[in-house]
Amino acid sequence: MLNAAITRSSESVSLDLLTYADLEALRNHKLGHSSRQGSSPGAKPGWTQLNSKRYLILTYNVEFDRIHYPLALTYAGKPDPAVLQETIRRLRSELEKQSQKGGKVKHSDLQRLQD
C-alpha cells in the first residue's frame, strides 16, 4: 500500500504529512468544535515539542469507508542546507536519467522538481 501511495499507482491510497496542529484542527473539525477552542500555543504544556512532530498518514479509501494508518515520525533536528542541496542535485540527476531511458516519469513531477 505504501508503495502504491508513493508511486501514485492507485487512486484508493494516498499519503499526507501533517503536523500536530494539523491533526488537532482535523480532530476539532470532526468533533464540530471551532478551530480556536483550546488550541492556543500556551494552552498545553509541551506544545513546542508536540508541534515539532510530524505524522505520515496513509489513507486507504474503499467504497464506503476510509481507513487511516498514522505513523509518527521522529524529529531529527534542523537539516543541513548543504546536505539537502546535494540530495536535490542527486535526485534531479537520477530523474533526468530515468526520463532519458524512457522510464515512467510524469511530466508534471519533472516540472515541479525543476521549479
Side-chain angles (χ1 to χ4, degrees):
M1 268 198 316
L2 183 59
N3 188 31
I6 291 171
T7 60
R8 296 182 184 162
S9 60
S10 173
E11 291 183 12
S12 62
V13 182
S14 64
L15 279 176
D16 292 305
L17 184 63
L18 303 175
T19 64
Y20 179 78
D22 295 334
L23 289 176
E24 282 293 307
L26 287 173
R27 186 177 68 85
N28 287 337
H29 178 72
K30 185 176 181 179
L31 295 174
H33 298 137
S34 68
S35 61
R36 294 181 181 218
Q37 184 178 0
S39 64
S40 63
K44 297 179 181 176
W47 176 262
T48 309
Q49 184 181 6
L50 287 174
N51 206 29
S52 66
K53 281 190 132 183
R54 300 291 181 263
Y55 299 87
L56 186 66
I57 310 294
L58 178 67
T59 305
Y60 180 56
N61 294 308
V62 289
E63 192 171 344
F64 297 107
D65 204 6
R66 198 171 204 194
I67 304 162
H68 301 283
Y69 298 97
L71 175 64
L73 304 174
T74 57
Y75 182 66
K78 292 186 179 183
D80 181 17
V83 172
L84 291 176
Q85 289 172 346
E86 180 57 35
T87 302
I88 291 170
R89 277 190 220 100
R90 183 179 49 80
L91 290 173
R92 283 183 176 161
S93 171
E94 187 177 321
L95 189 58
E96 190 63 35
K97 287 177 189 175
Q98 286 295 324
S99 64
Q100 288 174 357
K101 288 181 181 178
K104 291 183 178 181
V105 177
K106 294 181 184 176
H107 181 68
S108 61
D109 290 342
L110 181 60
Q111 185 64 35
R112 188 176 68 233
L113 282 174
Q114 289 173 347
D115 294 339

